[in-house]
Amino acid sequence: FVAFSVARYGPAWASFPPPPGELQVRLSAWNIHAGSDAGDRVLNGVATSQADVFAFSELEAASVNAISADARGYGYSALPSDPETVDVGILSRYPIIESDAGRWLARVVVAPPSTRPLVIYAVHAPLARFVEINGLRIGVDLTVRDAVVSAMRARIDYDIAQGRTVVVMGDLNSTERERGYAEMAAGLRDSHLEAGTGPGLTWRPTSVIPVGLLRIDYIFSTPDMSPTSSTVDCSLPSDHCRVDATLTIMGAP
């Protein structure tokens, strides 16, 4: 009986390290909504996340200064070089070995333990523009937004062509039914579609509304990362809910 019990239940009593080259990476993506109290709000969003890598949209002077002064345990960052401009940025618990933060897109290469480096993109596509005649809105112009998404995707595709493991996080200002999403998602894994529950809606006109109304914030990855969870946190003070996901990177370095 003892031998049977050990053989049958023993594996559940012990925990073993993950196989070489396998690592779970926790990620958060959040458009903090530039404006009043941005410094306090961004620190609140960071403090309530368990992410190893955190991607932001709509950073500005107050939020950049707040993060720089109190990174809440994150030892590495890629933040806008011009904090007066609303922009994107990244915090990481993993060492950053390459970084480039600019308007609409920030790119870092991080070095997590026990596996190969990861290329992380924080993205924020511009809003569509209303078409007006004599002050009357008659349509929506998506030209600028889609051109920016295409430029982002070209840069991402270069990393993919080099065989790198890539994660793309952020606000596309595009629903799943639009060209911007289709172009960015092509060939990538959408964490919410693979590992989330419910509609995963992330945008609302105001944080007074406790749920999202549209899904325009995403976490994508190359096929060598397997999404294992994806949730949306709408408790934060922003017009966007935060997207949190866990991905497992497979394969030897």
Side-chain angles (χ1 to χ4, degrees), residues 163-218:
R164 296 166 182 152
T165 299
V166 177
V167 173
V168 183
M169 302 191 284
D171 173 10
L172 287 184
N173 276 310
S174 176
T175 68
E176 297 157 89
R177 299 173 297 281
E178 297 179 74
R179 174 183 170 183
Y181 173 90
E183 182 165 7
M184 185 62 75
L188 301 177
R189 305 178 79 160
D190 182 328
S191 295
H192 176 75
L193 294 185
E194 295 202 22
T197 56
L201 306 178
T202 63
W203 178 86
R204 62 266 176 102
T206 170
S207 59
V208 173
I209 300 174
V211 296
L213 303 179
L214 296 173
R215 188 164 92 100
I216 61 175
D217 302 85
Y218 306 95

Side-chain angles (χ1 to χ4, degrees), residues 58-205:
E58 293 200 17
L59 291 174
E60 55 185 355
S63 46
V64 170
N65 291 338
I67 296 171
S68 298
D70 183 0
R72 302 292 171 104
Y74 288 88
Y76 307 90
S77 64
L79 299 172
S81 57
D82 180 5
E84 297 301 323
T85 302
V86 174
D87 220 323
V88 290
I90 295 172
L91 289 180
S92 176
R93 300 189 193 278
Y94 304 136
I96 293 177
I97 56 179
E98 295 180 27
S99 69
D100 179 17
R103 187 167 178 80
W104 310 127
L105 179 147
R107 175 189 180 274
V108 299
V109 180
V110 301
S114 75
T115 191
R116 58 188 173 275
L118 308 178
V119 181
I120 310 285
Y121 284 91
V123 298
H124 181 204
L127 288 166
R129 299 178 177 182
F130 287 108
V131 178
E132 297 185 356
I133 295 180
N134 296 326
L136 179 65
R137 292 177 176 175
I138 62 169
V140 177
D141 180 3
L142 303 176
T143 305
V144 174
R145 185 203 66 186
D146 289 347
V148 170
V149 171
S150 292
M152 291 173 176
R153 187 59 207 245
R155 186 162 184 188
I156 292 163
D157 282 341
Y158 177 82
D159 279 316
I160 294 174
Q162 305 306 307
R164 296 166 182 152
T165 299
V166 177
V167 173
V168 183
M169 302 191 284
D171 173 10
L172 287 184
N173 276 310
S174 176
T175 68
E176 297 157 89
R177 299 173 297 281
E178 297 179 74
R179 174 183 170 183
Y181 173 90
E183 182 165 7
M184 185 62 75
L188 301 177
R189 305 178 79 160
D190 182 328
S191 295
H192 176 75
L193 294 185
E194 295 202 22
T197 56
L201 306 178
T202 63
W203 178 86
R204 62 266 176 102

